[in-house]
Amino acid sequence: MKRIFLLVIALLSVTFSQAQDITDAVRYSTSQLYGTARFKALSGAFGALGGDLSAMKINPAGSAIFNNSYSTVSLEYNSRNNDTRYGNRTTSSDDSDFNFSQAGAVLVFNSNDPENSWKKLTLGFNYSLTNNFKDDYVATGISSNSIDQYFLGYANGVPLDNLETVDGETIADLYRYLGENIGFGAQQAFLGYQAFVINPNSNDLDNTSYSSAIAPGNFDQQFALASTGLNGKFTFNAATTYKDFLYFGANLNAHFINYDKSTRYSEFNTNSNSEINEIVFRNNLSTTGDGFSFQLGTIAKVNDYVRLGVSYESPTWYSIQEESSQAIQSYSANTDEVVNVITNVVNVYPDYTLRTPGNLTGSLAVLFGSKGLISFDYTYKDYSNTKFTPSSDPEFNFQNELISSNLQATSSFKVGGEYRIEDWSLRGGYRYEQSPYKNESTIGNLDGYSAGLGYNFGNIKLDVAYDHASRIDNPQFYQVGLTNTSRIERDFSNVVLSVSFGI
């Protein structure tokens, strides 16, 4: 007869030791290209140009280029394609959505005093997406590395006494206790033990060594990820003009994070002497956060044809809250008995702070009168300066060491051009962003190009742009034990429509 061991541990509302890692740090430190259609069409190369609502998120002095009060609203269609290769198999996934990606206005106050060297004051507000977390992919293939290594990686060193329930104690009680008092790693060991994936090498309660209940061989595996959420910021801007030559500006930014991720890992084997033949492991993560940053910038009008810009964006200081839940199922082909253990526990982690890296941008723009322009931006950003706090937490210290040793200072550049034919504007651009990882493999370098068209009706302007970018990522399944990677060829395409009008 066939016995099936079934363990379902779906995880309710207590405070647990944190499980944040370097992937969280990178996720909230990177940004995508969002903004007005004109901004997108030039691939975001606006640091020395100004005169656009999205330009001030690169250089806050850009709002002082406006001659009159102005407003823009943008709607964007996003499309994503992932071709995922794992072992000798490839799967594809497509997804799309609509978002209001930008909305803002700037008020211009001109000085009427000819003796006043400060010719203009502008006050602006802009909302912009910085990241769209919607994503999904499935990696399916054959491997000789099993999920048992994940649980063994956490279990060895944990006393068996911590993994055994006592009289009157439920699975949920012990799981909760481990999270509150020992940490995430002990919880993972507990899941592997209770699911019969790992066995103690001794029944002594002081035992701290474990072995796998899964025989070596080949494993048919599938890792599926689905995520949703947005990262955005609200910018409050002030800028001024000195003698029609120098432009100065400053931004105060309020940031928000909403992120939800679900992963499902399944594994099947027919290996001889294997006590467990099938495993399904589920993880859910829900993240919310808010933060602040500031920016300073200046633009110099060298002459009627050349503008130079420089801007600084501070680190963003986030306060982040997270909740997670887990579930595991294990099956054995040896007997037909069914064991069901079901609990409901949500891991509620203590709030933590994440400091993302600041950046410095230098810009050059060449204008050809009313006929057109060419613009170039270079940005330097050191991801190794990303940091979790409180630093008194040993897990955060460990992750900060990983960040310092695995992430790097990056360079990115953007170039864009515009050509005007009466009331029509033709635009195009290119951008390159270096990977935040030193190996440039976990997250690959990004290449993108853009094109756009605009028409000036007078008081109203209508702009449309198309942007495409691609990169190759090699994400790990887990940080511990089962560190297999899949290769994902990512393509991002979007179309944005903006309506602008004088106010």
Side-chain angles (χ1 to χ4, degrees):
M1 298 295 290
K2 179 179 181 181
R3 187 169 82 175
I4 303 176
F5 287 109
L6 174 63
L7 176 71
V8 179
I9 304 178
L11 305 172
L12 198 160
S13 218
V14 288
T15 299
F16 288 76
S17 188
Q18 49 272 358
Q20 298 76 28
D21 59 40
I22 187 174
T23 59
D24 298 294
V26 172
R27 180 186 309 116
Y28 305 131
S29 298
T30 55
S31 61
Q32 299 170 4
L33 184 67
Y34 284 103
T36 67
R38 186 177 180 223
F39 179 85
K40 293 270 284 189
L42 272 67
S43 288
F46 262 87
L49 284 177
D52 185 277
L53 265 298
S54 292
M56 67 186 186
K57 74 177 184 178
I58 305 298
N59 188 333
S63 64
I65 301 294
F66 283 104
N67 292 320
N68 302 291
S69 299
Y70 203 71
S71 182
T72 304
V73 177
S74 303
L75 176 66
E76 186 156 324
Y77 169 77
N78 299 284
S79 175
R80 291 159 296 275
N81 174 261
N82 294 325
D83 289 328
T84 305
R85 185 171 183 83
Y86 180 57
N88 60 352
R89 301 178 189 173
T90 300
T91 60
S92 295
S93 60
D94 296 280
D95 207 348
S96 61
D97 61 358
F98 283 93
N99 287 292
F100 278 102
S101 58
Q102 178 276 329
V106 62
L107 300 177
V108 179
F109 304 93
N110 292 297
S111 173
N112 295 320
D113 184 358
E115 302 298 323
N116 189 353
S117 297
W118 299 94
K119 301 295 184 181
K120 187 190 305 180
L121 171 67
T122 62
L123 299 175
F125 170 80
N126 191 58
Y127 160 73
S128 178
L129 284 182
T130 55
N131 230 327
N132 187 341
F133 297 127
K134 193 172 181 62
D135 189 25
D136 67 88
Y137 66 86
V138 178
T140 302
I142 305 295
S143 173
S144 59
N145 191 19
S146 168
I147 189 66
D148 62 352
Q149 297 304 307
Y150 172 86
F151 297 107
L152 287 173
Y154 284 111
N156 285 314
V158 177
L160 178 61
D161 186 40
N162 289 336
L163 308 183
E164 291 272 19
T165 58
V166 297
D167 290 344
E169 184 179 44
T170 67
I171 293 290
D173 291 338
L174 182 50
Y175 182 87
R176 180 182 293 109
Y177 172 84
L178 293 175
E180 291 176 326
N181 297 277
I182 301 179
F184 176 81
Q187 287 180 314
Q188 307 316 293
F190 178 73
L191 293 179
Y193 175 72
Q194 291 294 329
F196 306 102
V197 176
I198 59 174
N199 295 319
N201 291 334
S202 166
N203 290 326
D204 190 327
L205 293 180
D206 292 328
N207 171 78
T208 58
S209 62
Y210 301 82
S211 56
S212 176
I214 300 175
N218 290 324
F219 303 90
D220 193 344
Q221 300 172 335
Q222 182 182 91
F223 183 89
L225 179 147
S227 65
T228 60
L230 299 173
N231 185 190
K233 70 177 180 180
F234 299 91
T235 296
F236 303 88
N237 168 267
T240 187
T241 305
Y242 179 76
K243 291 186 175 180
D244 293 324
F245 165 64
L246 287 176
Y247 304 82
F248 301 97
N251 290 342
L252 290 178
N253 303 310
H255 302 254
F256 70 87
I257 294 172
N258 286 298
Y259 177 68
D260 292 285
K261 179 181 72 172
S262 296
T263 63
R264 181 186 185 276
Y265 173 86
S266 61
E267 175 181 295
F268 177 78
N269 76 84
T270 57
N271 302 333
S272 178
N273 299 320
S274 186
E275 297 177 36
I276 297 297
N277 302 103
E278 188 172 353
I279 297 169
V280 178
F281 185 37
R282 296 181 177 89
N283 285 269
N284 299 304
L285 175 69
S286 180
T287 304
T288 58
D290 54 78
F292 72 92
S293 66
F294 67 88
Q295 292 169 270
L296 301 171
T298 184
I299 296 174
K301 186 186 291 185
V302 178
N303 53 47
D304 290 339
Y305 305 101
V306 177
R307 293 179 191 171
L308 298 176
V310 61
S311 60
Y312 168 75
E313 182 171 4
S314 76
T316 299
W317 291 271
Y318 281 111
S319 176
I320 297 178
Q321 305 82 43
E322 290 189 336
E323 297 180 358
S324 72
S325 61
Q326 297 181 284
I328 185 169
Q329 298 175 329
S330 63
Y331 304 83
S332 172
N334 295 328
T335 65
D336 58 3
E337 182 182 349
V338 179
V339 178
N340 294 299
V341 182
I342 302 176
T343 72
N344 290 294
V345 177
V346 174
N347 299 322
V348 181
Y349 299 104
D351 293 1
Y352 68 94
T353 299
L354 174 66
R355 185 193 71 194
T356 69
N359 65 73
L360 187 66
T361 299
S363 309
L364 167 67
V366 179
L367 288 75
F368 306 103
S370 61
K371 288 296 183 182
L373 57 89
I374 295 176
S375 181
F376 175 83
D377 283 5
Y378 169 81
T379 300
Y380 176 87
K381 186 173 184 176
D382 191 350
Y383 285 88
S384 66
N385 289 330
T386 308
K387 187 176 182 180
F388 288 107
T389 56
S391 56
S392 58
D393 189 289
E395 177 60 25
F396 281 158
N397 281 335
F398 173 69
Q399 293 300 326
N400 289 336
E401 290 175 3
L402 287 180
I403 289 170
S404 179
S405 60
N406 286 277
L407 302 186
Q408 65 176 350
T410 66
S411 295
S412 64
F413 65 83
K414 304 169 184 176
V415 60
E418 181 177 67
Y419 181 71
R420 302 187 186 99
I421 306 172
E422 296 181 347
D423 293 326
W424 291 93
S425 296
L426 307 178
R427 302 166 183 139
Y430 171 80
R431 60 190 168 109
Y432 168 84
E433 298 176 10
Q434 191 176 5
S435 168
Y437 283 86
K438 290 180 179 178
N439 60 20
E440 297 189 349
S441 174
T442 304
I443 293 179
N445 300 327
L446 182 142
D447 283 280
Y449 61 85
S450 57
L453 183 68
Y455 187 81
N456 187 349
F457 291 92
N459 195 47
I460 297 177
K461 295 180 180 179
L462 188 65
D463 299 291
V464 63
Y466 170 79
D467 175 71
H468 177 272
S470 61
R471 71 168 189 248
I472 297 175
D473 297 347
N474 292 274
Q476 290 183 342
F477 289 173
Y478 303 99
Q479 265 202 314
V480 174
L482 186 60
T483 57
N484 295 17
T485 62
S486 57
R487 175 185 170 88
I488 307 177
E489 296 181 8
R490 298 187 183 272
D491 284 294
F492 310 94
S493 298
N494 49 70
V495 177
V496 60
L497 175 67
S498 295
V499 179
S500 305
F501 49 91
I503 55 177

